[in-house]
Every structure is written in C-alpha cells, then in structure tokens.
Amino acid sequence: MRAIWKGAVSFGLVSIAVRLYSATEEKDIRFHQVHREDGGRIRYKRTCSVCGEEVTYDDIAKGYDIGGGEMVILSDEDFADLPLSTSRAIDVLEFVPAEQVDPILYNKAYFMEPEGTATKPYVLLRDALRDSDRVAIVKVALRQREQLATLRVRDGVLLLNTMLWPDEIRKADFGFLDEDISVRPPELAMASSLIDSMAGDFVPDAFTDDYRAALQEVIDAKVEGREIVQPEEQEEAPSAAVDLMAALKASVERARAARGEAPADTDEGEARPATPITAAKKAAKKAEPAAKKAAPAKKTAAAKKAEPAAKKAPAKKTTRKSA
C-alpha cells in the first residue's frame, strides 16, 4: 500500500507521527468509451466555452457560480491563505461512546500506521481506546478540506473514519410520515416471526458480487474467443401483495424451508415461533407413531417365519402300552 498522507495525531501534549493508507478499494470493472466501429479510445478536450480554445491544466482555475452568468475565480493563493491549522495534524477533540455516532455520518476509512519512533505512543493510544470502549472525535485536513473524523481500533490498528458534517445529512421528509397508519398486532407478530426465522450472524465473506462475477465471465469469454454462457436468471421479486398477512406467512415458511426447518405450528391460521421446547415435543409426537408401527411389524414378521416351520414339523403321536 502507498501512504496518501503523513502527519501527526495530537493527543493532549503527546504527538504521534503517522501515515494514512486507504482502507478500502473498489472492485468495480471499469470500461473505456471507444468508437464502436474500430475500437478507438474517445478523447475529451478541455475547451473554453467563450473563446473555443483548448486549455492546459496550468491555465485552469476554480470558479464559483454566483448566478446570473457571473463567476468568481479563485487562485491557488486564495486557497493557501485559508486557516487550515490542522493541515498536518489530527487533533483529538473528545472521546465519546461509539454507539452515539450515527453510521450515516461515516464517509471513508483509512488505516493509520506509526512512523519512526512513534510506535509506543501509538500502541498506548490504541490500547486506551480499546479498553475505554470509546472512539476519538478528531479534525483533520485532507485534500485541502477540513473534515470531522473518528479514531477507533480495528484488528489491532487505529482506523480513521472521515465523517460528513451534520448539515450534509438530508432530512427524511416524506408524505407517509404524516399519515395515520396502524399495524395490527397479528401482523406485527408475524413480521417478528419472519425476522426471527431469518436471523443470523453477519459473516461478510458469505456475500459475493454475483453481477461482477458474471460480467467478468463475459469478458473472459470474449478474450478467449469461447461461447458466452448466460448466467442463471435470478428469481423475480414478487409483485405487491394484496393480502399482507398471507405474504408474511408465506415468507416465514419459505425462510424456514431454506434453512431446512419444519413449518411452524399454527393455531387459527397464525404461525407460532418455534422454540426448543416445542420442537422437542413435536419430535417426540412424531416418534410415537413410528415406534407403534414398528412393534407390530416385527411380531408379524416373526410369526410369518414361524408358520412354515410349524406346518412342516409332523405332530408326534403318543402311544400308551397296555399293562
């Protein structure tokens, strides 16, 4: 990995020299725009909309549109004079419980590596964060922009998560929030049963990007000149259900079947969540008829074997001698 930033974490009077590395990478398959007839790359020229001339990067500045066709142009000197006191420092502002940070605020993640002789204070901050069950709220300047971020521990490494500012989060303003919609208790119970039937532990490696894999297969087939195998069609999403309760019941049974579980007991059309006790009782009830059927079957089989033997054996005659 290549470091994208070097600076220091300011932790009270302690300064910890660190390097930042991107903790994530996109795996999307990228394409170039080409001419369909000959495969030539499509190039774009940077031209001025006023004079029509092609412009080099050195002659390009940043402009802010103030409306009415007017533009304010900012130079590199204007950005250099901005008060970015944290240009090469990560200032720790406070330590807060991790659950108080809404995940919607998180933006990008970076690994943090100690540099030079900063390993011991780095490990000290890491262990203190881990033992406190808190995250550090910090400010850092990346790419000429001051950002709010958190410091937390992941796999023994300090992880910097840049965050969006609160005014960058949109408000969820939708009409249905003002409607008076009531959910019946049986519907809520069935929905909870569906959640229970689909509950599990999150294992990220269990999920794959099937679309990307299929697209890569198409590309490989094109390169090798072989026939492209069409991927299996995915099951279409069901249309909007008219009967919500029936859809929930069917969903519960499908989820149980997918896990190899038996259908849940029902009472008056309502599903009951399976528990270890009810499951044991149900298994015992199923075992009783099988045991009863097995016993007569054995007796019958034994009797059938004994009958031919009895027929073949001649009866012994008892004779009495007269005195």
Side-chain angles (χ1 to χ4, degrees):
M1 292 188 291
R2 183 175 62 87
I4 65 166
W5 185 91
K6 292 183 180 182
V9 177
S10 178
F11 175 40
L13 298 179
V14 179
S15 181
I16 308 171
V18 295
R19 290 190 291 260
L20 289 186
Y21 302 84
S22 293
T24 60
E25 59 180 340
E26 293 185 1
K27 293 290 187 177
D28 289 343
I29 298 175
R30 300 184 181 276
F31 295 96
H32 296 294
Q33 290 186 328
V34 298
H35 189 191
R36 190 185 302 276
E37 294 183 2
D38 55 21
R41 290 279 299 275
I42 303 300
R43 303 291 185 183
Y44 292 92
K45 294 183 178 181
R46 297 173 297 276
T47 57
C48 176
S49 61
V50 176
C51 63
E53 294 183 1
E54 187 174 353
V55 182
T56 64
Y57 278 113
D58 294 336
D59 292 330
I60 295 178
K62 290 182 173 64
Y64 181 79
D65 190 352
I66 61 176
E70 293 186 277
M71 193 81 65
V72 173
I73 299 176
L74 300 178
S75 64
D76 293 338
E77 289 75 15
D78 294 324
F79 288 99
D81 294 336
L82 291 176
L84 282 179
S85 58
T86 58
S87 59
R88 284 295 167 187
I90 300 174
D91 292 327
V92 177
L93 306 178
E94 59 182 354
F95 296 92
V96 302
E99 62 270 15
Q100 291 184 0
V101 182
D102 191 333
I104 197 174
L105 292 168
Y106 287 128
N107 192 5
K108 293 183 179 180
Y110 300 91
F111 290 131
M112 187 177 293
E113 178 192 26
E115 187 176 20
T117 59
T119 303
K120 185 172 182 177
Y122 176 97
V123 172
L124 174 64
L125 176 58
R126 181 199 66 187
D127 293 350
L129 270 178
R130 182 190 57 206
D131 295 344
S132 66
D133 287 331
R134 292 176 179 264
V135 298
I137 303 297
V138 303
K139 272 188 178 182
V140 58
L142 294 175
R143 299 183 177 89
Q144 294 186 335
R145 182 190 176 193
E146 188 175 58
Q147 299 186 59
L148 196 65
T150 62
L151 279 183
R152 61 187 179 90
V153 182
R154 185 181 188 276
D155 295 334
V157 177
L158 287 176
L159 188 74
L160 178 79
N161 272 109
T162 58
M163 302 166 64
L164 301 172
W165 294 98
D167 59 358
E168 293 179 313
I169 305 300
R170 293 177 174 176
K171 183 180 179 181
D173 186 11
F174 302 105
F176 79 92
L177 294 173
D178 297 326
E179 298 177 11
D180 186 13
I181 301 176
S182 59
V183 177
R184 296 189 298 115
E187 294 173 337
L188 184 58
M190 187 62 69
S192 299
S193 179
L194 176 58
I195 291 175
D196 291 339
S197 65
M198 298 177 66
D201 295 323
F202 179 56
V203 181
D205 292 339
F207 302 93
T208 57
D209 188 347
D210 296 333
Y211 176 82
R212 176 161 58 92
L215 180 57
Q216 187 64 56
E217 174 61 24
V218 171
I219 294 173
D220 294 342
K222 285 269 189 180
V223 172
E224 298 169 5
R226 54 185 170 84
E227 183 181 356
I228 298 174
V229 179
Q230 294 294 334
E232 295 182 3
E233 293 185 2
Q234 298 294 327
E235 182 180 354
E236 294 184 1
S239 57
V242 177
D243 189 343
L244 180 59
M245 198 67 177
L248 287 170
K249 290 178 183 177
S251 299
V252 170
E253 296 307 323
R254 185 172 67 174
R256 291 184 182 279
R259 293 193 173 205
E261 300 176 3
D265 295 333
T266 56
D267 182 15
E268 298 181 358
E270 293 185 5
R272 294 177 181 174
T275 64
I277 296 177
T278 56
K281 288 181 178 179
K282 191 172 183 180
K285 287 181 179 179
K286 286 184 177 180
E288 286 177 3
K292 289 179 180 178
K293 290 180 180 178
K298 289 181 180 179
K299 290 180 181 178
T300 304
K304 286 182 179 179
K305 289 181 180 179
E307 284 178 3
K311 290 179 179 179
K312 291 180 180 179
K316 293 183 179 180
K317 294 181 179 181
T318 304
T319 57
R320 296 182 61 185
K321 292 181 180 181
S322 56

